Amino acid sequence: MLLQSNTLLLNGKYRIVKSLGQGGFGITYLAEEMAPSGTPLRKVAVKEFFMKDYCDRQSNHTQVTLGTQGNRDMVERYKQKFLKEARTIERFQHPNIVKVYDVFEENNTAYYVMEYLGGQSLTDLVQAQGPLPEQKAREYFNLLLSAVECVHESKVNHLDIKPSNVMLRSDGQPVLIDFGLAKNYDEKTGGQTSTTPIGVSEGFSPPEQYNAGGVSKFSPETDVYALGATLYYLLTGQVPTPSINRLSEGMAELPANFRWSTRMAVSAAMRLRRSDRSTIENLKNFMREDADSDDDRDTDDQGIVPPVYEVVGEVTAVEPPMGYAQPVVEVQERKRSRLPLIIIAVLLVIALGVLAFLLTRASAGGETEKSDIMEDYDTTEVVEPIG
């Protein structure tokens, strides 16, 4: 099923070394770019379009074979999407986005050739070393903000930003990879122009990504949430609580020893309501704050970043600065019309006046009449006003 070692692609320009991994839609290989003389020039990564449930290849062959005609039509659609993904990445010229060198079709399938990033991912780094020093995490975060800003300028959402999709070059620079779930959007209308299936990465995807049609329009805020969750992971070593569970489960807050601007960046990026999230530009401003200016910023009386509010029915769920063990719920004072209260007050005044009048008549008319009147009054049903 895999291409064999030493297989040549694109008229001998690339030579397969070994397989690096396989997913549902493709196989990634380590390869070498070859000079015309046959001398290796550099290592590269080659991604081959190969839907493992619908594609096949005989041993020691390079041609990909397909099943029924119905499968062929579907596979062809996804192959075109694969090529579109490659050409999307190819047009990004940013030091912190993976570089694509070649895109081509061969062996009844498609390929694209990327720079080979032999380092580890941010997930690997945190698992090996534990939470990163705050300054190092901020540096990575700031570079990723610039990379994602470049992506958004082309009306593209990445939609799968997470630490495992950020690789480190040999010089330590973070590089955003894996645009397999990325969506292209119309420059004018903002509507989607691709039919990429929606995927979810638990802890890093915001609520709208769980909903059908949640990212049918260009949504920079969706990637902003994932960026904030990535920073949270780098600082704590913990995957954030899945966004759809945060109102019921809460989420551990960042310790108060982190800078105000760091805590505020995470809080502002990870707000559950899309319209409440920060812009990338504001997050970059937080990263420009130095330690001295952070000390002078306003916090609450406990030194905690102001909480984030989410409206749920008739209450406001207070999303603490990244939550407490349990979410706090605070009743929201809503501005209601005062007319019902005025009517109730007027009725009470009238009732008291009538009662005083009846008591006066009873006193004048004798004890028996008074008893009859009060008996009638005491059996009257009193309807208490609601609320």
Side-chain angles (χ1 to χ4, degrees):
M1 181 179 294
L2 301 175
L3 290 175
Q4 298 298 306
S5 179
N6 294 317
T7 296
L8 298 177
L9 298 173
L10 203 60
N11 299 318
K13 185 175 181 179
Y14 301 104
R15 182 177 70 86
I16 298 297
V17 176
K18 65 178 181 179
S19 169
L20 294 175
Q22 180 174 6
F25 287 83
I27 306 171
T28 303
Y29 300 92
L30 172 63
E32 292 176 327
E33 183 177 354
M34 310 298 290
S37 63
T39 304
L41 295 175
R42 61 181 173 182
K43 291 180 179 180
V44 294
V46 175
K47 190 167 183 179
E48 178 185 47
F49 175 72
F50 193 97
M51 296 180 71
K52 66 180 181 180
D53 292 334
Y54 301 98
C55 298
D56 200 3
R57 177 166 37 216
Q58 294 184 5
S59 190
N60 297 320
H61 286 71
T62 59
Q63 291 290 313
V64 172
T65 58
L66 305 174
T68 64
Q69 183 61 45
N71 286 345
R72 290 176 185 173
D73 293 342
M74 179 191 66
V75 170
E76 179 62 26
R77 289 196 302 272
Y78 278 104
K79 185 176 78 171
Q80 293 306 314
K81 187 269 165 192
F82 176 90
L83 289 167
K84 188 172 185 178
E85 170 196 344
R87 292 179 179 124
T88 295
I89 306 172
E90 189 178 29
R91 74 176 187 258
F92 296 138
Q93 298 299 316
H94 192 281
N96 300 107
I97 297 176
V98 64
K99 291 178 172 59
V100 170
Y101 302 131
D102 263 320
V103 182
F104 58 94
E105 295 185 61
E106 193 173 314
N107 298 330
N108 198 33
T109 187
Y111 300 87
Y112 65 85
V113 182
M114 305 171 285
E115 63 174 314
Y116 173 65
L117 300 164
Q120 57 189 346
S121 70
L122 288 182
T123 296
D124 297 332
L125 181 64
V126 171
Q127 289 178 348
Q129 300 183 8
L132 303 185
E134 182 179 3
Q135 185 56 38
K136 177 57 67 176
R138 286 169 64 100
E139 290 172 6
Y140 287 148
F141 182 66
N142 201 35
L143 293 170
L144 290 174
L145 287 174
S146 178
V148 175
E149 187 174 46
C150 174
V151 172
H152 290 173
E153 286 172 355
S154 295
K155 285 294 188 291
V156 174
N157 272 142
H158 186 283
L159 300 178
D160 199 19
I161 298 169
K162 55 187 176 183
S164 60
N165 280 341
V166 179
M167 300 294 293
L168 295 175
R169 286 199 184 97
S170 56
D171 62 359
Q173 288 285 301
V175 181
L176 184 62
I177 66 168
D178 198 346
F179 283 71
L181 295 180
K183 278 185 175 293
N184 292 265
Y185 296 85
D186 185 85
E187 290 282 348
K188 294 182 179 179
T189 67
Q192 66 184 22
T193 60
S194 57
T195 56
T196 312
I198 298 300
V200 169
S201 292
E202 293 289 340
F204 299 95
S205 298
E208 66 267 18
Q209 218 163 324
Y210 288 80
N211 301 327
V215 289
S216 60
K217 296 288 187 182
F218 181 52
S219 176
E221 301 87 356
T222 299
D223 285 340
V224 163
Y225 184 98
L227 285 166
T230 295
L231 178 57
Y232 180 92
Y233 176 81
L234 299 181
L235 293 167
T236 65
Q238 301 295 320
V239 174
T241 302
S243 59
I244 58 172
N245 296 338
R246 280 174 56 190
L247 285 177
S248 60
E249 298 178 10
M251 188 164 71
E253 63 182 14
L254 289 178
N257 61 309
F258 286 121
R259 298 182 193 174
W260 180 92
S261 56
T262 300
R263 289 177 283 140
M264 194 61 203
V266 172
S267 178
M270 292 187 70
R271 296 188 178 188
L272 294 178
R273 191 179 323 184
R274 178 166 23 188
S275 61
D276 289 342
R277 288 176 212 144
S278 174
T279 63
I280 285 182
E281 186 58 38
N282 284 340
L283 293 176
K284 290 168 73 174
N285 289 336
F286 285 132
M287 292 301 101
R288 294 187 186 106
E289 298 280 359
D290 58 32
D292 291 336
S293 63
D294 271 342
D295 292 339
D296 297 331
R297 299 306 296 265
D298 291 331
T299 57
D300 68 10
D301 57 1
Q302 296 179 340
I304 296 176
V305 178
V308 181
Y309 295 90
E310 293 294 329
V311 175
V312 183
E314 292 298 311
V315 301
T316 295
V318 177
E319 183 189 333
M322 305 333 303
Y324 296 94
Q326 294 294 328
V328 182
V329 176
E330 175 183 291
V331 177
Q332 182 181 22
E333 291 289 343
R334 298 184 180 272
K335 292 184 178 180
R336 304 178 185 273
S337 171
R338 294 187 177 183
L339 184 58
L341 295 176
I342 294 173
I343 293 174
I344 291 172
V346 170
L347 291 176
L348 287 174
V349 170
I350 293 173
L352 289 172
V354 170
L355 179 60
F357 174 75
L358 293 175
L359 289 174
T360 302
R361 285 193 59 187
S363 177
E367 188 64 32
T368 302
E369 184 179 358
K370 175 182 176 182
S371 299
D372 290 342
I373 292 171
M374 291 308 295
E375 182 179 352
D376 289 341
Y377 178 78
D378 290 340
T379 58
T380 302
E381 181 181 359
V382 178
V383 179
E384 297 183 359
I386 298 174

